[in-house]
Amino acid sequence: MKVKVSSFDAKAKAADVELNDEVFGLDPRADILHRVVTWQLEKRRATARGTRERADVARTGKKFGRQKGGGTARHGDRRAPVFIGGGKAHGARVRDFNPGLNKKIRALGLKMALSSHAKAGSLVIMDSLSVKDSKTKTLKGDLAKAGFGKSVLFIDGDAVETSFALAAGNLGHLNVLPAAGANVYDILKHDTLVLTRAAVEKLEARFNG
């Protein structure tokens, strides 16, 4: 599929780029995308630090007083939660929030996320993300002319272009990632996906490799 290459410089002219249909031309499946997004969000979850309960505390288990006539409660050992140094009652448990997902499904999900933007017409290919003098004001003007939408995800090559990263730092409606950080969740939650030529090459090489 051929896509026109855009630029922040209105006078600049760039040749169209040919996108690989095996990466950008798939029919998105909601079930695959749902599985990958769920897996991503589960991987982000952090678990509580497990506390030591009564069975985990290293204290004597010997009954330390007689059953009757001692004038105190009838405790069996010092590991009870009521004592200092005893086990925690109903403490936090370590939980596993890291489900597995087949690598092929993960790769297919990323291809379908890219394809969904291509089919919806919200995929933009740019020659470069260079911003004059790294100024946020300049970038805001360029974005207003481009009319990308409310939320935009920019993906560059090996590293994000320095001037663009500096200019975009204070703009909350857009996010920037290198090609290695491209993921299904971030791609789907933005209205517009902007890729540089370098990003396209990296993503296609990632799947062909």
Side-chain angles (χ1 to χ4, degrees), residues 4 11 43 56 59 111 118 123 168-169 183 188:
K4 183 180 179 181
K11 297 180 180 178
K43 291 285 284 184
D56 304 316
R59 302 192 77 186
K111 290 178 184 178
L123 173 65
N183 64 88
L188 291 180

Side-chain angles (χ1 to χ4, degrees), residues 17-204:
V17 63
E18 184 74 32
L19 299 181
N20 188 342
D21 287 337
E22 293 182 3
V23 179
F24 295 92
L26 300 181
D27 291 323
R29 283 176 49 186
D31 60 323
I32 297 293
L33 294 173
H34 179 266
R35 287 180 65 185
V36 179
V37 169
T38 301
W39 170 79
Q40 260 191 264
L41 296 180
E42 286 290 295
K43 291 285 284 184
R44 290 184 181 186
R45 294 183 68 180
T47 184
R49 179 179 60 85
T51 56
R52 293 193 303 167
E53 297 192 342
R54 190 164 181 163
D56 304 316
V57 176
R59 302 192 77 186
T60 179
K62 181 182 177 182
K63 186 176 177 68
F64 60 88
R66 58 187 180 174
Q67 179 71 6
K68 299 177 74 174
T72 60
R74 299 174 290 259
H75 290 292
D77 60 58
R78 288 284 181 178
R79 289 177 295 202
V82 295
F83 293 119
I84 294 175
K88 176 75 173 175
H90 311 296
R93 302 286 182 89
V94 175
R95 297 171 64 190
D96 182 16
F97 294 122
N98 293 322
L101 187 63
N102 190 295
K103 286 184 179 179
K104 290 183 178 179
I105 299 296
R106 284 185 259 165
L108 182 59
L110 183 53
K111 290 178 184 178
M112 287 183 173
L114 295 168
S115 298
S116 66
H117 275 285
K119 287 187 176 296
S122 55
L123 173 65
V124 179
I125 308 298
M126 296 195 69
D127 201 34
S128 170
L129 294 180
S130 179
V131 178
K132 185 178 180 181
D133 300 327
S134 305
K135 294 291 186 181
T136 301
K137 184 177 181 180
T138 304
L139 178 57
K140 286 180 72 174
D142 292 337
L143 293 174
K145 293 176 185 175
F148 286 149
K150 291 183 179 179
S151 62
V152 192
L153 175 64
F154 289 86
I155 300 181
D156 208 346
D158 284 325
V160 179
E161 210 281 329
T162 306
S163 65
F164 185 87
L166 292 171
N170 290 329
L171 299 178
H173 66 286
L174 62 86
N175 286 312
V176 188
L177 291 173
N183 64 88
V184 176
Y185 178 70
D186 283 328
I187 290 173
L188 291 180
K189 77 173 186 176
H190 289 83
D191 296 329
T192 306
L193 174 64
V194 180
L195 303 177
T196 61
R197 281 181 182 272
V200 172
E201 292 172 4
K202 288 290 178 184
L203 289 170
E204 291 184 349

